Amino acid sequence: MKFGERWLREWVDLPLDSEGLQAQLSMLGLEVDYTEPAAPAFEGVVVGAVVKVEPHPNADKLRVCQVSDGEASYDVVCGAPNVTAGMRAPFARPGATLPGGIAIKRTRLRGVDSEGMLCSEKELGLSEHGAGIMELAADAPPGEALAGHLGLDDTIIDIDLTPNRGDCLSIRGVARDLAARNRTLVIARAIEPVPATCEDTFGVDLEQLDGCPRYLGRVIRGIDPAARSPRWLVEKLRRCGIRAISPTVDVTNFVMMELGQPMHAFDLAQLDGGIRVRSARSGERLVMLDGSELQLDEHTLVIADARGAVAMAGIMGGEHSGVGDDTRDIFLEAAFFAPRWIAGRPRRYNLFTDSGARFERGVDPYGQAEAMERATGLLLDIYGGAPGPLVEAVSESHLPERPEVGLRANQIERLLGETLPGAEVEDILGRLGMQVSAPAHGEGDGQRWRVRPPSHRFDIAIEPDLIEELARIKGYDTIAEAVPAYAPVAGEVGEPGGSLEDLEAVLLARGYSEAVTYSFVDERDCLRFEPDLSPLPLSNPISSEMGVMRTSLWPGLVGSLRYNLNRQQSRVRLFEAGNVFITGADGLREEHRLGGVASGPALPAQWAVPDTAMDFFDLKGDLEAVLAAAGASAAYRAESHPALHPGHSARVLLAGQPVGWLGRVHPKLERELELVQPAWVFDLGLASLLVGRRISAREISRFPSIRRDISVVVARSVPAQALVEAARTAAPASLQDVIIFDTYVGEGVVSGRKSVSLGLILQDLSRTLNDREVDDAVDRILAGLEQELGAKLRE
């Protein structure tokens, strides 16, 4: 929000210079983004009175003007079409300097001497538009320095507000915070009700009370369409970054900037049958003031008359009913529109307006009458006309109420690190316009208060909001630094939970990079990877490519892989930990998962090992390292997944329960996604990994281990994991590990069977095993393999 410092000081008397004011605004959370002078530097420019205007004897488009500065008269040649006798205008006398260092001298134009220059706003650096001479007030005293007359010794301040501080999108709102900080009062502005001088009214009907519980309107007849906004009004708006357009628009913009209440004026002659505030009908069309034609949906609030929508409520008026150059009668409105009915609509229709920015954050639901009276008084002063009585339609039960918020003294101390006296707490909150109940004492909490925020503070909802207000107004720089007390307590070692950071560290060590992808994805990609799940559509998507909530991490990861492959990155390893969103009979379920994608050579390029493309077992090795970091041991079961290659996919099981998948992306899907090389993916549910696990220790044997290798022939359908588990079940306690070090299919092995070689590691804690004990253990393992899986010792 941008404004002139002088205007702000009209609302609050501050013992601060400009730099101190800017510093205090930033400390209050109203961060000053930048400042600039109200006008570029110029010298020797005064108010000039145009006494006489005559045609130039040698040029049809030039005129010779006699200009007085109150002491002397000057002949000035001027080409502006709007120069007239009797007007007041900026006059640069000979010797003056304009912005940019332009020096004004006596000169001769087409045979006529010219002593000085009548200036436009553009030439003075006050506007980018300069079609004619800048017109000053008719009573401007000739000879007065223009900078002093217009109050140009001012600083324009632009503050960057956080989205929750909609109450500070006005001069009065900023003044409230400054007054509270400096223990002073906002300077009262007496806004008297304007008496009606005509009986005309225009009916108002509220059909959508949730969206608009209060609407005020007033008819003003017989305005002067030729009237111009006074220079003081134009200047104040200019310093807010708003260009003057017409008195009606200028006054409503002025009230919005001053009081924070957006307003709108309709051409009464273009309205028919009364105002109706309702939801738009599906497909209803409206041509806006900027000329764009929009098709509305039923979630959009509109202002309508008997013929149809005439404005998008709280955002922009329609072209058909807008005030024009020939408007004689207007209907002025001020309303409260509920934030949830306005929020998102500017982005939905690409209509970003000052009005919409305020309504979607929340305006004071009790400030409409004051704004209406202020705007009416200004319009009558500028335009003239006869105002009708104020018409109000309101549903008190639908107006928002600021609920009471509890505040505890011990929480103030906990969050701020400092104890505030009860009287100071009440004083600060009172200065912010909050109603504070008498303090009570709660057990262990110290003093307790009930606080009701004022109607314009939509951002105060919970106890930390109040504590933040105490810190802001007291001053962050006045709160003493304190190191929090810490009293460590020794306790028993329990079962610590797995750490996501540990799992991520393993992947990083194995060459993966962390990716962060959008939770919003294209529905087609979602269904490609999880065709059996229905993704949740967004009601207001950023784009068509981000229309649904993801049901898998794979669409984003594979999309990132494709992006890298298309930029000549042939070896890619990416992982992501994030949420997926599953809809079912029990509603929306959010799951925290760990996913990864890998493609390209198994190892980085090097001289000692030839390049080999990664395969299923490379990916499985990465996954096993992750599971080991989580203290988990997984089993794998060959299964088909719609998005994975049917011969290169497996289900991951923990304690017999499925927790994830790994495998190669289906070749058909690789072609659809235009992947230039195979892609391998994995997915794990983090809920099953990030759980507590018991810490255990075992003694390390001092005696040597013995290894015996056996090769067994078994049906090809038997998984290697089944051989390992059967061997462990049949073996004595001396078996420490089972290693699969070879598999073979071919000559010497019966068709339909395979040879698997197992390394058996045997070791005892109390002695060295002898040959008989080792042979006995091997025999027991072979017997168990044959009994469980039909495995035979290979001859």
Side-chain angles (χ1 to χ4, degrees), residues 92 334 611:
D611 282 349

Side-chain angles (χ1 to χ4, degrees), residues 245-269:
I245 298 174
S246 70
T248 307
V249 176
D250 297 347
V251 165
T252 55
N253 281 336
F254 177 85
V255 173
M256 177 182 69
M257 294 303 302
E258 184 179 59
L259 303 179
Q261 172 64 50
M263 302 182 68
H264 186 67
F266 298 96
D267 186 336
L268 186 62

Side-chain angles (χ1 to χ4, degrees), residues 41 72 97 101 277 330 545 625 667 669 715 782:
T97 303
V277 185
I330 65 172
E545 291 77 22
L669 188 51
L782 287 170

Side-chain angles (χ1 to χ4, degrees), residues 362-637:
V363 303
D364 189 344
Y366 297 92
Q368 290 69 44
E370 181 185 36
M372 181 67 80
E373 300 295 359
R374 175 68 163 148
T376 303
L378 289 170
L379 284 171
L380 294 182
D381 291 342
I382 300 168
Y383 254 158
L390 195 62
V391 174
E392 179 179 20
V394 62
S395 173
E396 296 286 349
S397 62
H398 287 85
L399 288 172
E401 293 185 4
R402 302 265 61 82
E404 284 190 343
V405 181
L407 179 61
R408 294 166 290 175
N410 73 331
Q411 291 300 303
I412 298 173
E413 182 180 1
R414 187 178 72 84
L415 293 182
L416 299 186
E418 180 175 320
T419 301
L420 297 185
E424 185 176 6
V425 170
E426 296 168 27
D427 175 57
I428 290 174
L429 297 179
R431 281 185 270 142
L432 287 168
M434 302 189 192
Q435 299 176 18
V436 185
S437 68
H441 285 273
E443 185 176 347
D445 293 334
Q447 287 184 302
R448 306 181 69 170
W449 298 268
R450 301 297 300 174
V451 182
R452 188 180 299 279
S455 57
H456 58 268
R457 291 299 298 270
F458 280 72
D459 60 313
I460 306 296
I462 58 177
E463 186 177 38
D465 294 335
L466 294 173
I467 298 173
E468 180 185 7
E469 294 301 292
L470 295 174
R472 281 195 325 112
I473 303 305
K474 178 178 173 59
Y476 294 110
D477 53 340
T478 68
I479 297 175
E481 294 183 5
V483 178
Y486 176 63
V489 178
E492 296 182 358
V493 176
E495 300 182 5
S499 166
L500 177 59
E501 288 76 14
D502 290 343
L503 309 189
E504 292 175 339
V506 169
L507 288 168
L508 291 169
R510 298 179 75 87
Y512 284 74
S513 297
E514 184 173 10
V516 179
T517 64
Y518 285 107
S519 297
F520 312 142
V521 297
D522 191 324
E523 184 176 11
R524 293 172 299 176
D525 287 341
C526 217
L527 294 175
R528 282 179 177 135
F529 287 94
E530 293 288 359
D532 298 331
L533 299 177
S534 299
L536 177 68
L538 298 173
S539 59
N540 188 25
I542 298 173
S543 68
S544 59
E545 291 77 22
M546 295 181 168
V548 300
M549 303 294 287
R550 65 186 179 190
T551 55
S552 168
L553 298 176
W554 287 346
L557 287 168
V558 174
S560 299
L561 168 65
R562 178 177 58 199
Y563 183 90
N564 280 272
L565 294 178
N566 290 343
R567 284 154 181 80
Q568 291 76 51
Q569 300 299 313
S570 60
R571 187 175 189 274
V572 181
R573 303 286 190 275
L574 299 172
F575 76 89
E576 179 176 12
N579 291 350
V580 299
F581 307 87
I582 312 297
T583 55
D586 55 347
L588 181 66
R589 186 176 77 255
E590 198 169 341
E591 295 182 3
H592 198 34
R593 304 194 71 83
L594 177 67
V597 63
S599 183
L603 296 172
Q606 57 177 295
W607 64 271
V609 179
D611 282 349
T612 56
M614 75 172 295
D615 59 18
F616 178 88
F617 298 102
D618 293 314
L619 183 70
K620 181 170 177 282
D622 293 336
L623 198 60
E624 296 237 326
V626 171
L627 294 169
S633 179
Y636 303 89
R637 184 171 66 211

